[in-house]
Amino acid sequence: MTSTSIDTARYGSLLARLVPAVIETEDENERLLSEVEALNAKGNRISPEEEELLKLMVLLIEDYESRKYKLRAADPNEVLRELMRVRGTRQADLVCVFGSKGITSEVVRGKRGISKAHARALSEFFHVPSGIFL
């Protein structure tokens, strides 16, 4: 931010009205999201001061959401079960991939891991990258 491109008094007034700070609650996050939407709705009619405030609010929102909504790595067996659920695949449909009902059952229940060979076969069966099963 350069002091020549924005009116510091107007920017200060915007800051005083919105009081942007590190977001700690979902209500605060929703409040700033609403403000971002309102500024985005202005399109190219946004002032330089509003643009600076918008950048600040987006950073605060991204920080909060990265802390709040951390994604954990999915277990390969969980990935398999989710693919089965979404695609309506039954355990019996995978016997051709694993070679036996027993191995299929153990893998689907999470009692047995997915081998590299099975990952490749599942990749072909579901048309997805094999790395998601490793």
Side-chain angles (χ1 to χ4, degrees):
M1 169 172 64
T2 60
S3 59
T4 58
S5 64
I6 67 167
D7 178 334
T8 55
R10 183 156 193 265
Y11 184 64
S13 174
L14 288 170
L15 289 172
R17 182 178 69 80
L18 291 176
V19 191
V22 173
I23 301 170
E24 298 296 339
T25 68
E26 192 61 40
D27 286 342
E28 293 171 7
N29 191 48
E30 289 298 322
R31 181 180 70 84
L32 285 188
L33 282 169
S34 294
E35 294 293 341
V36 165
E37 287 176 18
L39 287 175
N40 280 333
K42 293 179 85 172
N44 61 2
R45 297 183 331 262
I46 192 170
S47 72
E49 298 80 15
E50 290 169 325
E51 188 172 342
E52 286 302 314
L53 180 60
L54 179 62
K55 288 186 225 175
L56 175 61
M57 290 189 300
V58 167
L59 285 173
L60 293 169
I61 291 166
E62 287 174 347
D63 173 67
Y64 172 77
E65 291 182 353
S66 71
R67 287 183 285 120
K68 173 82 174 173
Y69 304 112
K70 288 183 182 177
L71 294 178
R72 66 171 179 80
D75 174 85
N77 295 77
E78 291 173 326
V79 171
L80 172 59
R81 286 190 296 275
E82 181 62 13
L83 276 171
M84 290 173 66
R85 184 190 69 75
V86 168
R87 297 193 181 178
T89 305
R90 297 171 300 125
Q91 188 170 307
D93 299 330
L94 297 177
V95 172
C96 63
V97 172
F98 293 103
S100 79
K101 288 181 182 180
I103 293 173
T104 303
S105 176
E106 289 177 357
V107 171
V108 171
R109 289 184 319 176
K111 301 293 182 191
R112 176 186 283 230
I114 298 173
S115 70
K116 288 182 183 179
H118 288 149
R120 283 191 294 276
L122 287 167
S123 169
E124 290 177 26
F125 184 88
F126 285 109
H127 306 286
V128 295
S130 62
I132 68 172
F133 298 112
L134 298 174

